[in-house]
Every structure is written in structure tokens, then in C-alpha cells.
Amino acid sequence: MRNYLPEGRLLNTPQNRYYLRDAATFEEAKKQDLILESHALMCDPKHDLIVELPFGKGIIPRSEGAIGIEDGSVRDIALLSRVNKTVCFKIMEITHSDGETICILSRRKAQEECRRQYTDTLKRGDIIPARVTHLEPFGCFVDIGCGIISLIPIDSISVSRIAHPCDRFFNGQDIFAVVKDISQDRITLSHKELLGTWEQNAALFHTGDTVGGIIRSVEDYGVFVELTPNLAGLAEPQGGIRVGQSASVYIKAIIPDKMKVKLIIIDVFDNCAFPAKYDYFINSGHIDSWVYSTSNANKHISTEF
């Protein structure tokens, strides 16, 4: 079975580089009906995508640009937004005329094969790789294979609450996600279940540690500081603090039965840096359920798939 990855993950592989080398190897790829990747240089007035090839010109006609373009269920912005990015494709036709090689390509056919062989076989609880494509206030859109897009709702990104998905992700970021729901052709994902339970995250810290965190909420009764995406602690109220600032905090107490971490804020400062990758507790396989809460906690937080 072929490995259907988000667009861009195939581009620099030895196999992809080999088949893009010249017209002869490109012909080999066509005979084998392979999926390849290259760079979309532009979208012309007809909304055909022009694809960079070392030995000629690649054209993805508008109707072949994505599943749903021809019937109008997908808007042409799906094509325009691929300019200056990697696109996957199958080879439909190769012609040689007046010393120029013209290749007609289809991204739609690559997506149809990916859907038939991969995404249609996914089940709730399956853990898959994904690549962030764009961020909206309500969630994070990701490519789950050959440009097929899925959504991670904002409340499924992490246990620690965030104001916007850009607090957690950036465009082009490679992540893992778990299939949360399947409805007709729509797949919805979740992310927080892969980032560990309360106990797993709390085990990374000890009373008396001074560690870094991010201010996520400022309330009258205290300041919530994120220590990991799935673990936040509460510090005493303090003035002059804004959501989004970084902090150094002293861990005063870790209380498993109440799922609480008590903190003392040492310093607060502006810092735009955040991790480019996550330390996943799970990044492959399948899960049927996930329990975040400790066994003796009053509050029960879990997910059933």
C-alpha cells in the first residue's frame, strides 16, 4: 500500500527526485501511475496551475486541480492558494513538440486515489500525520493526505485553553492528530488526546522546580499559567500581566486528587517563541478511548472514539 502523506512531505524524497530528473524517468512514473510532487509556479487566467519541471512545463488544468472543482463544491481559491507551494499529481499525458516537453497533470486523480485507498479506510480513533494549512478562530485546517483537508476544532487542540489556534500552531507545521468523527466525506480530527494525561504531564515537574510557562488566563482569583499544552497551574492574582506573555514560575505544590498545580510567578516578560514541535505521548496506532483525569479526581475528562 502506498503511503499517502500531506503535500510537501514527498517532495524531497529520493524517489520523487529520481522521477523528476528527466523526461525518461517521468515516463517511467507515468507507466507506474505514481503520485509525484513539485512546485506550483503560478495560476494562469484560466486557473490552470503551472508546475515546475526540470525538463519541461507541467500543467494541471483547472478541472484537475482538486476534487470538487468541476462540480463547484470546492471554490477556485483552493487552486489559487497552491501557488508557490508544493502540489501532488498524477501524470495524464506527456507530449513533445518543437523541442518542448508539455506534461498534463492531475492533482484530482491523486486525491481520488488517496481518498479511495487511505482516507476512506480511516476509523474513529486512528492516529495519523497531518500538516497545518491555515488557521481560523474556530480551528485549525490540516492536510491529511494529497491536499485533502480536515479540521481540528479549537477546543480539541489542547486541554489548556487558547484564544486562537495560532497560539499553538503555525502554517506548514507537521503534527499528529486522531480521527474524532467521520460524517459522509468530512473527517474531523482531535489533537489533545495525543499530548498526555494530567498525570503524564504532571510527572514532568516536581515541587520546588522553577520552570517556564505561558499566561493563558487572568482572572480575579488568580492567573492560569500553561506549563505544557495539556497542563496549567494557578498562581495568585498579580497586576500588570497580559494573556500571551511568558513567565517563569515556582511550583509550590502538585495535587493529583484535585488535578491542581499551585504556582508562584517569579517573572513575566514578552516572548514570541513557542515550540515548533510537540513531545507526543502517542503518535501512531489507534485508541478507542482516552481519560485525562486522575483516578480519584472529582472532575472526569475523557474522550470516546
Side-chain angles (χ1 to χ4, degrees), residues 7-8 11 21 92 120 140 142 152 166 184 201 205 230 266:
E7 282 181 308
L11 181 65
R21 190 174 64 185
M92 298 175 65
D120 281 355
C140 169
V142 297
I152 306 176
C166 68
Q184 297 178 342
N201 281 272
F205 305 96
N230 270 12
I266 304 298

Side-chain angles (χ1 to χ4, degrees), residues 27-281:
E27 288 274 7
E28 288 181 41
K30 182 178 185 300
K31 290 177 183 177
Q32 296 180 53
D33 198 29
L34 297 180
I35 294 174
L36 301 179
E37 288 186 348
S38 192
H39 193 68
L41 297 173
M42 64 172 288
C43 192
D44 69 15
K46 296 184 295 182
H47 289 184
D48 296 344
L49 283 169
I50 309 303
V51 177
E52 181 179 33
L53 297 176
F55 52 85
K57 182 179 182 180
I59 302 172
I60 300 179
R62 174 184 175 276
S63 60
E64 299 297 324
I67 293 175
I69 288 290
E70 197 164 25
D71 63 19
S73 60
V74 171
R75 296 181 299 165
D76 280 27
I77 187 63
L79 307 178
L80 304 180
S81 64
R82 296 314 302 169
V83 172
N84 208 26
K85 297 177 184 175
T86 300
V87 290
C88 66
F89 55 82
K90 285 192 165 197
I91 306 160
M92 298 175 65
E93 183 181 345
I94 303 173
T95 61
H96 307 279
S97 178
D98 298 326
E100 185 179 23
T101 300
I102 303 295
C103 303
I104 305 302
L105 314 172
S106 174
R107 184 168 176 256
R108 175 182 63 84
K109 288 184 180 296
Q111 290 182 340
E112 287 175 343
E113 180 181 304
C114 177
R115 177 175 285 180
R116 185 172 61 253
Q117 299 292 336
Y118 175 53
T119 62
D120 281 355
T121 70
L122 292 175
K123 298 178 176 61
R124 293 177 180 85
D126 285 350
I127 298 163
I128 62 173
R131 174 168 284 186
V132 177
T133 59
H134 61 285
L135 306 169
E136 297 288 348
F138 54 84
C140 169
F141 287 95
V142 297
D143 176 352
I144 60 173
C146 294
I148 295 174
I149 301 300
S150 184
L151 174 68
I152 306 176
I154 189 169
D155 61 351
S156 296
I157 291 176
S158 61
V159 173
S160 180
R161 294 181 181 180
I162 51 176
H164 191 281
C166 68
D167 293 335
R168 191 71 69 211
F169 298 131
F170 60 84
N171 287 348
Q173 186 174 10
D174 288 318
I175 64 172
F176 291 95
V178 56
V179 177
K180 184 179 181 181
D181 189 40
I182 301 172
S183 177
Q184 297 178 342
D185 290 336
R186 293 179 181 270
I187 296 175
T188 304
L189 304 176
S190 186
H191 184 255
K192 62 186 179 184
E193 291 82 3
L194 310 183
L195 299 176
T197 65
W198 190 93
E199 284 182 318
Q200 287 173 323
N201 281 272
L204 302 174
F205 305 96
H206 303 89
T207 300
D209 287 348
T210 298
V211 298
I214 302 172
I215 307 297
R216 289 301 186 199
S217 179
V218 180
E219 310 294 341
D220 293 338
Y221 54 87
V223 178
F224 285 97
V225 182
E226 176 188 305
L227 303 179
T228 73
N230 270 12
L231 183 69
L234 183 65
E236 294 294 322
Q238 186 171 322
I241 292 177
R242 303 189 312 276
V243 171
Q245 286 185 301
S246 293
S248 52
V249 294
Y250 174 82
I251 299 178
K252 183 179 178 182
I254 300 175
I255 311 170
D257 59 333
K258 295 183 178 179
M259 291 196 300
K260 289 185 177 181
V261 180
K262 292 186 177 181
L263 305 173
I264 297 174
I265 295 175
I266 304 298
D267 193 15
V268 176
F269 48 93
D270 293 327
N271 186 353
C272 295
F274 65 96
K277 67 182 185 68
Y278 292 99
D279 295 322
Y280 290 101
F281 286 85

